[in-house]
Amino acid sequence: MSCDPAFEAARGALELLSTLKPPRLIGFGTGHTVGFFMDLARGYSGSWLVVASSIDTAVRASRLGFNVLYPPRGPLDVYVDGIDEVDPSGNMVKGGGGALLGEKILAFNSGVNIFIASEDKLVDVLGSRRPIPVEVVRDYAPLILGALESLGFKVSPREGSGKRGPVVSDWGGVIVDVHVNGVRDPEALETTLRSIPGVVETGLFIGYADYIVVGFRKCGYKVLRFERRRSRR
């Protein structure tokens, strides 16, 4: 028997949530895996207030019957989101959907963070399979890309579908992908990237996880517990 590991992770996250203090204000991330979670959680649409990490998530949550709170207020009780990559220490790469700024704001302002991932997102070293998404100030994007390249990085503006040119986030920044060929020291890389004026945010999520739920093709899931270090509290 084979299962969709993303669905298994979402199912596990909902079961984990049932063991915690019932949330009133919950944040939803952006992407395929968290979409499964939202579908499974429709039965709570009458009791949860939702803060969305992107326009796409806000629309989807509204269509599922959730009451989306805008403008957002907090702090959140719980935040649930997917992962692009995660290493054994719980450090993550996110932002494949271009919503990394909103996602990191919600994760920082949440009491409990639950991240969900299919087993193929587990890596020994971040950046070994995927680039690191970075949001930069739109009007100065050429200068900022040049500064990143001067540090030895290969940088490419992310191209979208439906329009020509780079992907522009919900907050007006340009999304670029920084190719690093493996990150041995994620915190040092985060410091380096953020040192360049005009870098708004990075897709490195270091110390944000309370729980990571991993789903497997052979069905089932595993809950990993981490010591969170990034929070407003």
Side-chain angles (χ1 to χ4, degrees), residues 28-30 51-58 70 72 79 81 95 97-106 134-139 167-175 200-201 205:
F28 289 158
T30 298
V51 177
S53 62
S54 66
I55 295 171
D56 177 73
T57 297
Y70 187 84
Y79 178 63
D81 202 354
L100 56 107
L101 177 57
E103 291 171 341
K104 192 171 280 190
I105 289 171
L106 296 192
V134 174
E135 181 164 346
V136 305
V137 173
R138 180 188 59 195
D139 293 344
V167 171
V168 177
S169 82
D170 291 353
W171 303 274
V174 170
I175 303 297
V200 178
E201 192 51 86
F205 281 60

PDB file of all heavy atoms in Angstrom, residues 28-30 51-58 70 72 79 81 95 97-106 134-139 167-175 200-201 205:
ATOM      1  N   PHE A  28      -2.195  29.926   8.800  1.00  0.00           N
ATOM      2  CA  PHE A  28      -1.975  28.941   7.745  1.00  0.00           C
ATOM      3  C   PHE A  28      -0.865  29.427   6.825  1.00  0.00           C
ATOM      4  O   PHE A  28      -0.866  30.585   6.388  1.00  0.00           O
ATOM      5  CB  PHE A  28      -3.239  28.740   6.903  1.00  0.00           C
ATOM      6  CG  PHE A  28      -4.363  28.019   7.597  1.00  0.00           C
ATOM      7  CD1 PHE A  28      -5.662  28.162   7.148  1.00  0.00           C
ATOM      8  CD2 PHE A  28      -4.136  27.194   8.684  1.00  0.00           C
ATOM      9  CE1 PHE A  28      -6.718  27.507   7.755  1.00  0.00           C
ATOM     10  CE2 PHE A  28      -5.181  26.526   9.311  1.00  0.00           C
ATOM     11  CZ  PHE A  28      -6.480  26.677   8.843  1.00  0.00           C
ATOM     12  N   GLY A  29       0.058  28.531   6.512  1.00  0.00           N
ATOM     13  CA  GLY A  29       1.100  28.845   5.550  1.00  0.00           C
ATOM     14  C   GLY A  29       0.589  28.756   4.127  1.00  0.00           C
ATOM     15  O   GLY A  29      -0.618  28.785   3.867  1.00  0.00           O
ATOM     16  N   THR A  30       1.520  28.628   3.196  1.00  0.00           N
ATOM     17  CA  THR A  30       1.193  28.621   1.777  1.00  0.00           C
ATOM     18  C   THR A  30       1.810  27.399   1.121  1.00  0.00           C
ATOM     19  O   THR A  30       2.951  27.041   1.429  1.00  0.00           O
ATOM     20  CB  THR A  30       1.733  29.898   1.102  1.00  0.00           C
ATOM     21  OG1 THR A  30       1.095  31.037   1.696  1.00  0.00           O
ATOM     22  CG2 THR A  30       1.470  29.898  -0.397  1.00  0.00           C
ATOM     23  N   VAL A  51      -5.454  33.452  10.243  1.00  0.00           N
ATOM     24  CA  VAL A  51      -4.576  34.473   9.677  1.00  0.00           C
ATOM     25  C   VAL A  51      -3.792  33.803   8.559  1.00  0.00           C
ATOM     26  O   VAL A  51      -3.144  32.764   8.783  1.00  0.00           O
ATOM     27  CB  VAL A  51      -3.617  35.060  10.731  1.00  0.00           C
ATOM     28  CG1 VAL A  51      -2.666  36.061  10.082  1.00  0.00           C
ATOM     29  CG2 VAL A  51      -4.407  35.736  11.840  1.00  0.00           C
ATOM     30  N   ALA A  52      -3.844  34.356   7.371  1.00  0.00           N
ATOM     31  CA  ALA A  52      -3.232  33.738   6.199  1.00  0.00           C
ATOM     32  C   ALA A  52      -1.872  34.347   5.898  1.00  0.00           C
ATOM     33  O   ALA A  52      -1.654  35.546   6.072  1.00  0.00           O
ATOM     34  CB  ALA A  52      -4.144  33.899   4.983  1.00  0.00           C
ATOM     35  N   SER A  53      -0.952  33.511   5.413  1.00  0.00           N
ATOM     36  CA  SER A  53       0.399  33.961   5.095  1.00  0.00           C
ATOM     37  C   SER A  53       0.522  34.539   3.696  1.00  0.00           C
ATOM     38  O   SER A  53       1.582  35.049   3.329  1.00  0.00           O
ATOM     39  CB  SER A  53       1.377  32.786   5.232  1.00  0.00           C
ATOM     40  OG  SER A  53       1.040  31.769   4.309  1.00  0.00           O
ATOM     41  N   SER A  54      -0.553  34.461   2.907  1.00  0.00           N
ATOM     42  CA  SER A  54      -0.510  34.975   1.538  1.00  0.00           C
ATOM     43  C   SER A  54      -1.935  35.190   1.035  1.00  0.00           C
ATOM     44  O   SER A  54      -2.906  34.690   1.627  1.00  0.00           O
ATOM     45  CB  SER A  54       0.209  33.987   0.614  1.00  0.00           C
ATOM     46  OG  SER A  54      -0.545  32.786   0.491  1.00  0.00           O
ATOM     47  N   ILE A  55      -2.056  35.909  -0.058  1.00  0.00           N
ATOM     48  CA  ILE A  55      -3.368  36.105  -0.683  1.00  0.00           C
ATOM     49  C   ILE A  55      -3.937  34.770  -1.124  1.00  0.00           C
ATOM     50  O   ILE A  55      -5.134  34.491  -0.950  1.00  0.00           O
ATOM     51  CB  ILE A  55      -3.253  37.069  -1.879  1.00  0.00           C
ATOM     52  CG1 ILE A  55      -2.854  38.468  -1.401  1.00  0.00           C
ATOM     53  CG2 ILE A  55      -4.576  37.129  -2.653  1.00  0.00           C
ATOM     54  CD1 ILE A  55      -2.513  39.422  -2.527  1.00  0.00           C
ATOM     55  N   ASP A  56      -3.092  33.921  -1.697  1.00  0.00           N
ATOM     56  CA  ASP A  56      -3.547  32.607  -2.162  1.00  0.00           C
ATOM     57  C   ASP A  56      -4.170  31.812  -1.026  1.00  0.00           C
ATOM     58  O   ASP A  56      -5.251  31.227  -1.171  1.00  0.00           O
ATOM     59  CB  ASP A  56      -2.363  31.849  -2.759  1.00  0.00           C
ATOM     60  CG  ASP A  56      -2.737  30.446  -3.209  1.00  0.00           C
ATOM     61  OD1 ASP A  56      -3.426  30.322  -4.236  1.00  0.00           O
ATOM     62  OD2 ASP A  56      -2.352  29.471  -2.529  1.00  0.00           O
ATOM     63  N   THR A  57      -3.508  31.788   0.124  1.00  0.00           N
ATOM     64  CA  THR A  57      -4.028  31.050   1.274  1.00  0.00           C
ATOM     65  C   THR A  57      -5.304  31.683   1.806  1.00  0.00           C
ATOM     66  O   THR A  57      -6.248  30.979   2.199  1.00  0.00           O
ATOM     67  CB  THR A  57      -2.965  30.981   2.377  1.00  0.00           C
ATOM     68  OG1 THR A  57      -1.835  30.241   1.888  1.00  0.00           O
ATOM     69  CG2 THR A  57      -3.496  30.310   3.637  1.00  0.00           C
ATOM     70  N   ALA A  58      -5.367  33.009   1.826  1.00  0.00           N
ATOM     71  CA  ALA A  58      -6.578  33.692   2.306  1.00  0.00           C
ATOM     72  C   ALA A  58      -7.782  33.324   1.453  1.00  0.00           C
ATOM     73  O   ALA A  58      -8.875  33.047   1.968  1.00  0.00           O
ATOM     74  CB  ALA A  58      -6.361  35.196   2.294  1.00  0.00           C
ATOM     75  N   TYR A  70      -8.614  39.849   8.838  1.00  0.00           N
ATOM     76  CA  TYR A  70      -7.778  40.857   8.166  1.00  0.00           C
ATOM     77  C   TYR A  70      -8.229  42.249   8.581  1.00  0.00           C
ATOM     78  O   TYR A  70      -9.418  42.535   8.534  1.00  0.00           O
ATOM     79  CB  TYR A  70      -7.869  40.715   6.643  1.00  0.00           C
ATOM     80  CG  TYR A  70      -6.878  41.637   5.954  1.00  0.00           C
ATOM     81  CD1 TYR A  70      -5.557  41.241   5.775  1.00  0.00           C
ATOM     82  CD2 TYR A  70      -7.254  42.911   5.547  1.00  0.00           C
ATOM     83  CE1 TYR A  70      -4.641  42.092   5.177  1.00  0.00           C
ATOM     84  CE2 TYR A  70      -6.336  43.762   4.961  1.00  0.00           C
ATOM     85  CZ  TYR A  70      -5.043  43.353   4.770  1.00  0.00           C
ATOM     86  OH  TYR A  70      -4.125  44.193   4.202  1.00  0.00           O
ATOM     87  N   PRO A  72      -4.478  41.185  10.161  1.00  0.00           N
ATOM     88  CA  PRO A  72      -4.190  40.167  11.184  1.00  0.00           C
ATOM     89  C   PRO A  72      -3.870  40.791  12.532  1.00  0.00           C
ATOM     90  O   PRO A  72      -3.296  41.868  12.616  1.00  0.00           O
ATOM     91  CB  PRO A  72      -2.969  39.436  10.612  1.00  0.00           C
ATOM     92  CG  PRO A  72      -2.336  40.425   9.696  1.00  0.00           C
ATOM     93  CD  PRO A  72      -3.456  41.232   9.110  1.00  0.00           C
ATOM     94  N   TYR A  79       0.586  28.071  14.438  1.00  0.00           N
ATOM     95  CA  TYR A  79       0.853  28.306  13.021  1.00  0.00           C
ATOM     96  C   TYR A  79       1.212  26.974  12.378  1.00  0.00           C
ATOM     97  O   TYR A  79       2.024  26.208  12.915  1.00  0.00           O
ATOM     98  CB  TYR A  79       2.002  29.299  12.847  1.00  0.00           C
ATOM     99  CG  TYR A  79       2.380  29.551  11.407  1.00  0.00           C
ATOM    100  CD1 TYR A  79       1.465  30.135  10.526  1.00  0.00           C
ATOM    101  CD2 TYR A  79       3.638  29.209  10.925  1.00  0.00           C
ATOM    102  CE1 TYR A  79       1.807  30.367   9.209  1.00  0.00           C
ATOM    103  CE2 TYR A  79       3.983  29.447   9.606  1.00  0.00           C
ATOM    104  CZ  TYR A  79       3.061  30.026   8.757  1.00  0.00           C
ATOM    105  OH  TYR A  79       3.390  30.253   7.443  1.00  0.00           O
ATOM    106  N   ASP A  81       2.409  25.130   8.688  1.00  0.00           N
ATOM    107  CA  ASP A  81       2.961  25.426   7.369  1.00  0.00           C
ATOM    108  C   ASP A  81       3.753  24.235   6.854  1.00  0.00           C
ATOM    109  O   ASP A  81       4.088  23.314   7.608  1.00  0.00           O
ATOM    110  CB  ASP A  81       3.858  26.670   7.451  1.00  0.00           C
ATOM    111  CG  ASP A  81       4.049  27.357   6.105  1.00  0.00           C
ATOM    112  OD1 ASP A  81       3.586  26.822   5.076  1.00  0.00           O
ATOM    113  OD2 ASP A  81       4.662  28.438   6.085  1.00  0.00           O
ATOM    114  N   GLY A  95       9.680  29.013   1.272  1.00  0.00           N
ATOM    115  CA  GLY A  95       9.524  30.102   0.321  1.00  0.00           C
ATOM    116  C   GLY A  95       9.370  29.661  -1.108  1.00  0.00           C
ATOM    117  O   GLY A  95       9.425  30.484  -2.036  1.00  0.00           O
ATOM    118  N   GLY A  97       6.767  28.920  -2.537  1.00  0.00           N
ATOM    119  CA  GLY A  97       5.579  29.577  -3.061  1.00  0.00           C
ATOM    120  C   GLY A  97       5.687  31.089  -3.081  1.00  0.00           C
ATOM    121  O   GLY A  97       4.715  31.773  -3.413  1.00  0.00           O
ATOM    122  N   GLY A  98       6.850  31.612  -2.723  1.00  0.00           N
ATOM    123  CA  GLY A  98       7.066  33.063  -2.775  1.00  0.00           C
ATOM    124  C   GLY A  98       6.476  33.836  -1.617  1.00  0.00           C
ATOM    125  O   GLY A  98       6.437  35.062  -1.660  1.00  0.00           O
ATOM    126  N   ALA A  99       6.034  33.137  -0.566  1.00  0.00           N
ATOM    127  CA  ALA A  99       5.382  33.813   0.564  1.00  0.00           C
ATOM    128  C   ALA A  99       6.247  33.807   1.816  1.00  0.00           C
ATOM    129  O   ALA A  99       5.733  33.898   2.928  1.00  0.00           O
ATOM    130  CB  ALA A  99       4.035  33.142   0.860  1.00  0.00           C
ATOM    131  N   LEU A 100       7.560  33.730   1.660  1.00  0.00           N
ATOM    132  CA  LEU A 100       8.444  33.557   2.804  1.00  0.00           C
ATOM    133  C   LEU A 100       8.359  34.688   3.820  1.00  0.00           C
ATOM    134  O   LEU A 100       8.488  34.463   5.021  1.00  0.00           O
ATOM    135  CB  LEU A 100       9.888  33.386   2.337  1.00  0.00           C
ATOM    136  CG  LEU A 100      10.462  34.500   1.449  1.00  0.00           C
ATOM    137  CD1 LEU A 100      11.454  35.338   2.203  1.00  0.00           C
ATOM    138  CD2 LEU A 100      11.125  33.892   0.215  1.00  0.00           C
ATOM    139  N   LEU A 101       8.125  35.918   3.372  1.00  0.00           N
ATOM    140  CA  LEU A 101       8.030  37.041   4.307  1.00  0.00           C
ATOM    141  C   LEU A 101       6.821  36.892   5.217  1.00  0.00           C
ATOM    142  O   LEU A 101       6.933  36.968   6.447  1.00  0.00           O
ATOM    143  CB  LEU A 101       7.969  38.365   3.548  1.00  0.00           C
ATOM    144  CG  LEU A 101       7.796  39.633   4.404  1.00  0.00           C
ATOM    145  CD1 LEU A 101       8.896  39.765   5.435  1.00  0.00           C
ATOM    146  CD2 LEU A 101       7.743  40.873   3.501  1.00  0.00           C
ATOM    147  N   GLY A 102       5.656  36.664   4.652  1.00  0.00           N
ATOM    148  CA  GLY A 102       4.453  36.472   5.455  1.00  0.00           C
ATOM    149  C   GLY A 102       4.549  35.252   6.338  1.00  0.00           C
ATOM    150  O   GLY A 102       4.120  35.262   7.494  1.00  0.00           O
ATOM    151  N   GLU A 103       5.157  34.186   5.805  1.00  0.00           N
ATOM    152  CA  GLU A 103       5.289  32.960   6.583  1.00  0.00           C
ATOM    153  C   GLU A 103       6.184  33.164   7.805  1.00  0.00           C
ATOM    154  O   GLU A 103       5.865  32.696   8.904  1.00  0.00           O
ATOM    155  CB  GLU A 103       5.856  31.857   5.684  1.00  0.00           C
ATOM    156  CG  GLU A 103       4.874  31.398   4.619  1.00  0.00           C
ATOM    157  CD  GLU A 103       5.483  30.473   3.591  1.00  0.00           C
ATOM    158  OE1 GLU A 103       6.722  30.438   3.456  1.00  0.00           O
ATOM    159  OE2 GLU A 103       4.706  29.782   2.895  1.00  0.00           O
ATOM    160  N   LYS A 104       7.282  33.876   7.633  1.00  0.00           N
ATOM    161  CA  LYS A 104       8.202  34.061   8.757  1.00  0.00           C
ATOM    162  C   LYS A 104       7.600  34.994   9.803  1.00  0.00           C
ATOM    163  O   LYS A 104       7.792  34.803  11.008  1.00  0.00           O
ATOM    164  CB  LYS A 104       9.556  34.581   8.277  1.00  0.00           C
ATOM    165  CG  LYS A 104      10.625  34.521   9.357  1.00  0.00           C
ATOM    166  CD  LYS A 104      12.019  34.843   8.822  1.00  0.00           C
ATOM    167  CE  LYS A 104      12.662  33.677   8.130  1.00  0.00           C
ATOM    168  NZ  LYS A 104      14.105  33.929   7.819  1.00  0.00           N
ATOM    169  N   ILE A 105       6.861  36.005   9.371  1.00  0.00           N
ATOM    170  CA  ILE A 105       6.195  36.903  10.323  1.00  0.00           C
ATOM    171  C   ILE A 105       5.213  36.117  11.187  1.00  0.00           C
ATOM    172  O   ILE A 105       5.179  36.268  12.420  1.00  0.00           O
ATOM    173  CB  ILE A 105       5.470  38.047   9.582  1.00  0.00           C
ATOM    174  CG1 ILE A 105       6.498  39.015   8.985  1.00  0.00           C
ATOM    175  CG2 ILE A 105       4.528  38.789  10.529  1.00  0.00           C
ATOM    176  CD1 ILE A 105       5.879  40.048   8.058  1.00  0.00           C
ATOM    177  N   LEU A 106       4.414  35.267  10.569  1.00  0.00           N
ATOM    178  CA  LEU A 106       3.428  34.496  11.335  1.00  0.00           C
ATOM    179  C   LEU A 106       4.117  33.481  12.252  1.00  0.00           C
ATOM    180  O   LEU A 106       3.702  33.294  13.400  1.00  0.00           O
ATOM    181  CB  LEU A 106       2.454  33.796  10.397  1.00  0.00           C
ATOM    182  CG  LEU A 106       1.557  34.689   9.534  1.00  0.00           C
ATOM    183  CD1 LEU A 106       0.458  33.860   8.881  1.00  0.00           C
ATOM    184  CD2 LEU A 106       0.942  35.827  10.337  1.00  0.00           C
ATOM    185  N   VAL A 134      15.025  34.277  -1.555  1.00  0.00           N
ATOM    186  CA  VAL A 134      15.287  35.551  -0.899  1.00  0.00           C
ATOM    187  C   VAL A 134      14.378  36.602  -1.522  1.00  0.00           C
ATOM    188  O   VAL A 134      14.223  36.649  -2.742  1.00  0.00           O
ATOM    189  CB  VAL A 134      16.775  35.970  -1.065  1.00  0.00           C
ATOM    190  CG1 VAL A 134      17.011  37.363  -0.508  1.00  0.00           C
ATOM    191  CG2 VAL A 134      17.691  34.967  -0.377  1.00  0.00           C
ATOM    192  N   GLU A 135      13.768  37.417  -0.680  1.00  0.00           N
ATOM    193  CA  GLU A 135      12.966  38.538  -1.183  1.00  0.00           C
ATOM    194  C   GLU A 135      13.796  39.812  -1.092  1.00  0.00           C
ATOM    195  O   GLU A 135      14.385  40.097  -0.045  1.00  0.00           O
ATOM    196  CB  GLU A 135      11.668  38.691  -0.398  1.00  0.00           C
ATOM    197  CG  GLU A 135      10.806  39.845  -0.926  1.00  0.00           C
ATOM    198  CD  GLU A 135       9.369  39.808  -0.448  1.00  0.00           C
ATOM    199  OE1 GLU A 135       8.930  38.760   0.084  1.00  0.00           O
ATOM    200  OE2 GLU A 135       8.673  40.831  -0.629  1.00  0.00           O
ATOM    201  N   VAL A 136      13.827  40.576  -2.200  1.00  0.00           N
ATOM    202  CA  VAL A 136      14.613  41.810  -2.242  1.00  0.00           C
ATOM    203  C   VAL A 136      13.727  42.971  -2.681  1.00  0.00           C
ATOM    204  O   VAL A 136      12.682  42.780  -3.300  1.00  0.00           O
ATOM    205  CB  VAL A 136      15.825  41.679  -3.192  1.00  0.00           C
ATOM    206  CG1 VAL A 136      16.675  40.475  -2.819  1.00  0.00           C
ATOM    207  CG2 VAL A 136      15.390  41.576  -4.654  1.00  0.00           C
ATOM    208  N   VAL A 137      14.152  44.176  -2.352  1.00  0.00           N
ATOM    209  CA  VAL A 137      13.413  45.378  -2.726  1.00  0.00           C
ATOM    210  C   VAL A 137      13.346  45.472  -4.251  1.00  0.00           C
ATOM    211  O   VAL A 137      14.384  45.414  -4.940  1.00  0.00           O
ATOM    212  CB  VAL A 137      14.083  46.633  -2.129  1.00  0.00           C
ATOM    213  CG1 VAL A 137      13.416  47.896  -2.649  1.00  0.00           C
ATOM    214  CG2 VAL A 137      14.021  46.581  -0.609  1.00  0.00           C
ATOM    215  N   ARG A 138      12.156  45.621  -4.760  1.00  0.00           N
ATOM    216  CA  ARG A 138      11.921  45.541  -6.205  1.00  0.00           C
ATOM    217  C   ARG A 138      12.725  46.562  -7.012  1.00  0.00           C
ATOM    218  O   ARG A 138      13.412  46.199  -7.977  1.00  0.00           O
ATOM    219  CB  ARG A 138      10.426  45.749  -6.474  1.00  0.00           C
ATOM    220  CG  ARG A 138      10.034  45.703  -7.945  1.00  0.00           C
ATOM    221  CD  ARG A 138       8.594  46.106  -8.111  1.00  0.00           C
ATOM    222  NE  ARG A 138       8.385  47.456  -7.579  1.00  0.00           N
ATOM    223  CZ  ARG A 138       7.185  47.967  -7.318  1.00  0.00           C
ATOM    224  NH1 ARG A 138       6.105  47.239  -7.484  1.00  0.00           N
ATOM    225  NH2 ARG A 138       7.084  49.200  -6.851  1.00  0.00           N
ATOM    226  N   ASP A 139      12.675  47.835  -6.624  1.00  0.00           N
ATOM    227  CA  ASP A 139      13.257  48.882  -7.456  1.00  0.00           C
ATOM    228  C   ASP A 139      14.775  48.827  -7.522  1.00  0.00           C
ATOM    229  O   ASP A 139      15.384  49.408  -8.425  1.00  0.00           O
ATOM    230  CB  ASP A 139      12.816  50.258  -6.953  1.00  0.00           C
ATOM    231  CG  ASP A 139      11.317  50.494  -7.151  1.00  0.00           C
ATOM    232  OD1 ASP A 139      10.701  49.739  -7.930  1.00  0.00           O
ATOM    233  OD2 ASP A 139      10.778  51.416  -6.514  1.00  0.00           O
ATOM    234  N   VAL A 167       9.092  36.966 -10.392  1.00  0.00           N
ATOM    235  CA  VAL A 167       7.978  36.830  -9.461  1.00  0.00           C
ATOM    236  C   VAL A 167       8.039  37.971  -8.446  1.00  0.00           C
ATOM    237  O   VAL A 167       9.081  38.234  -7.854  1.00  0.00           O
ATOM    238  CB  VAL A 167       8.048  35.475  -8.734  1.00  0.00           C
ATOM    239  CG1 VAL A 167       7.027  35.409  -7.600  1.00  0.00           C
ATOM    240  CG2 VAL A 167       7.838  34.337  -9.715  1.00  0.00           C
ATOM    241  N   VAL A 168       6.904  38.645  -8.262  1.00  0.00           N
ATOM    242  CA  VAL A 168       6.781  39.713  -7.273  1.00  0.00           C
ATOM    243  C   VAL A 168       5.878  39.201  -6.152  1.00  0.00           C
ATOM    244  O   VAL A 168       4.788  38.686  -6.407  1.00  0.00           O
ATOM    245  CB  VAL A 168       6.197  40.999  -7.890  1.00  0.00           C
ATOM    246  CG1 VAL A 168       6.000  42.069  -6.824  1.00  0.00           C
ATOM    247  CG2 VAL A 168       7.115  41.515  -8.995  1.00  0.00           C
ATOM    248  N   SER A 169       6.318  39.323  -4.917  1.00  0.00           N
ATOM    249  CA  SER A 169       5.572  38.794  -3.783  1.00  0.00           C
ATOM    250  C   SER A 169       4.337  39.630  -3.485  1.00  0.00           C
ATOM    251  O   SER A 169       4.147  40.716  -4.037  1.00  0.00           O
ATOM    252  CB  SER A 169       6.469  38.741  -2.538  1.00  0.00           C
ATOM    253  OG  SER A 169       6.527  40.016  -1.919  1.00  0.00           O
ATOM    254  N   ASP A 170       3.523  39.136  -2.560  1.00  0.00           N
ATOM    255  CA  ASP A 170       2.340  39.884  -2.115  1.00  0.00           C
ATOM    256  C   ASP A 170       2.717  41.205  -1.469  1.00  0.00           C
ATOM    257  O   ASP A 170       1.874  42.097  -1.341  1.00  0.00           O
ATOM    258  CB  ASP A 170       1.535  39.047  -1.106  1.00  0.00           C
ATOM    259  CG  ASP A 170       0.864  37.840  -1.726  1.00  0.00           C
ATOM    260  OD1 ASP A 170       0.904  37.711  -2.969  1.00  0.00           O
ATOM    261  OD2 ASP A 170       0.306  37.019  -0.983  1.00  0.00           O
ATOM    262  N   TRP A 171       3.968  41.356  -1.060  1.00  0.00           N
ATOM    263  CA  TRP A 171       4.418  42.568  -0.366  1.00  0.00           C
ATOM    264  C   TRP A 171       5.261  43.459  -1.267  1.00  0.00           C
ATOM    265  O   TRP A 171       5.868  44.417  -0.815  1.00  0.00           O
ATOM    266  CB  TRP A 171       5.180  42.184   0.900  1.00  0.00           C
ATOM    267  CG  TRP A 171       4.304  41.338   1.771  1.00  0.00           C
ATOM    268  CD1 TRP A 171       3.387  41.773   2.696  1.00  0.00           C
ATOM    269  CD2 TRP A 171       4.178  39.924   1.741  1.00  0.00           C
ATOM    270  NE1 TRP A 171       2.718  40.704   3.238  1.00  0.00           N
ATOM    271  CE2 TRP A 171       3.179  39.554   2.663  1.00  0.00           C
ATOM    272  CE3 TRP A 171       4.819  38.914   1.011  1.00  0.00           C
ATOM    273  CZ2 TRP A 171       2.814  38.232   2.889  1.00  0.00           C
ATOM    274  CZ3 TRP A 171       4.441  37.599   1.228  1.00  0.00           C
ATOM    275  CH2 TRP A 171       3.460  37.268   2.166  1.00  0.00           C
ATOM    276  N   GLY A 172       5.310  43.122  -2.557  1.00  0.00           N
ATOM    277  CA  GLY A 172       5.953  43.987  -3.529  1.00  0.00           C
ATOM    278  C   GLY A 172       7.412  43.749  -3.780  1.00  0.00           C
ATOM    279  O   GLY A 172       8.033  44.451  -4.581  1.00  0.00           O
ATOM    280  N   GLY A 173       8.009  42.771  -3.107  1.00  0.00           N
ATOM    281  CA  GLY A 173       9.419  42.467  -3.332  1.00  0.00           C
ATOM    282  C   GLY A 173       9.599  41.472  -4.465  1.00  0.00           C
ATOM    283  O   GLY A 173       8.671  40.756  -4.845  1.00  0.00           O
ATOM    284  N   VAL A 174      10.806  41.413  -5.012  1.00  0.00           N
ATOM    285  CA  VAL A 174      11.156  40.448  -6.038  1.00  0.00           C
ATOM    286  C   VAL A 174      11.743  39.211  -5.371  1.00  0.00           C
ATOM    287  O   VAL A 174      12.581  39.318  -4.464  1.00  0.00           O
ATOM    288  CB  VAL A 174      12.168  41.052  -7.038  1.00  0.00           C
ATOM    289  CG1 VAL A 174      12.729  39.985  -7.968  1.00  0.00           C
ATOM    290  CG2 VAL A 174      11.509  42.159  -7.850  1.00  0.00           C
ATOM    291  N   ILE A 175      11.305  38.038  -5.807  1.00  0.00           N
ATOM    292  CA  ILE A 175      11.816  36.783  -5.280  1.00  0.00           C
ATOM    293  C   ILE A 175      12.982  36.320  -6.148  1.00  0.00           C
ATOM    294  O   ILE A 175      12.850  36.187  -7.367  1.00  0.00           O
ATOM    295  CB  ILE A 175      10.730  35.695  -5.243  1.00  0.00           C
ATOM    296  CG1 ILE A 175       9.512  36.161  -4.420  1.00  0.00           C
ATOM    297  CG2 ILE A 175      11.297  34.395  -4.677  1.00  0.00           C
ATOM    298  CD1 ILE A 175       9.814  36.424  -2.971  1.00  0.00           C
ATOM    299  N   VAL A 200      15.131  41.865   1.949  1.00  0.00           N
ATOM    300  CA  VAL A 200      14.001  42.025   2.864  1.00  0.00           C
ATOM    301  C   VAL A 200      13.895  40.837   3.809  1.00  0.00           C
ATOM    302  O   VAL A 200      13.714  40.999   5.020  1.00  0.00           O
ATOM    303  CB  VAL A 200      12.694  42.190   2.070  1.00  0.00           C
ATOM    304  CG1 VAL A 200      11.485  42.302   3.008  1.00  0.00           C
ATOM    305  CG2 VAL A 200      12.771  43.413   1.165  1.00  0.00           C
ATOM    306  N   GLU A 201      13.993  39.627   3.265  1.00  0.00           N
ATOM    307  CA  GLU A 201      13.879  38.422   4.089  1.00  0.00           C
ATOM    308  C   GLU A 201      14.472  37.248   3.329  1.00  0.00           C
ATOM    309  O   GLU A 201      14.605  37.292   2.105  1.00  0.00           O
ATOM    310  CB  GLU A 201      12.414  38.147   4.446  1.00  0.00           C
ATOM    311  CG  GLU A 201      12.195  37.112   5.520  1.00  0.00           C
ATOM    312  CD  GLU A 201      13.034  37.385   6.759  1.00  0.00           C
ATOM    313  OE1 GLU A 201      12.586  38.152   7.627  1.00  0.00           O
ATOM    314  OE2 GLU A 201      14.149  36.825   6.839  1.00  0.00           O
ATOM    315  N   PHE A 205      14.708  29.324   7.733  1.00  0.00           N
ATOM    316  CA  PHE A 205      13.927  29.338   8.973  1.00  0.00           C
ATOM    317  C   PHE A 205      14.722  28.557  10.008  1.00  0.00           C
ATOM    318  O   PHE A 205      14.691  27.319  10.047  1.00  0.00           O
ATOM    319  CB  PHE A 205      12.555  28.714   8.757  1.00  0.00           C
ATOM    320  CG  PHE A 205      11.552  29.625   8.087  1.00  0.00           C
ATOM    321  CD1 PHE A 205      11.803  30.141   6.822  1.00  0.00           C
ATOM    322  CD2 PHE A 205      10.372  29.968   8.722  1.00  0.00           C
ATOM    323  CE1 PHE A 205      10.885  30.977   6.200  1.00  0.00           C
ATOM    324  CE2 PHE A 205       9.440  30.801   8.111  1.00  0.00           C
ATOM    325  CZ  PHE A 205       9.706  31.311   6.855  1.00  0.00           C
TER     326      PHE A 205
END
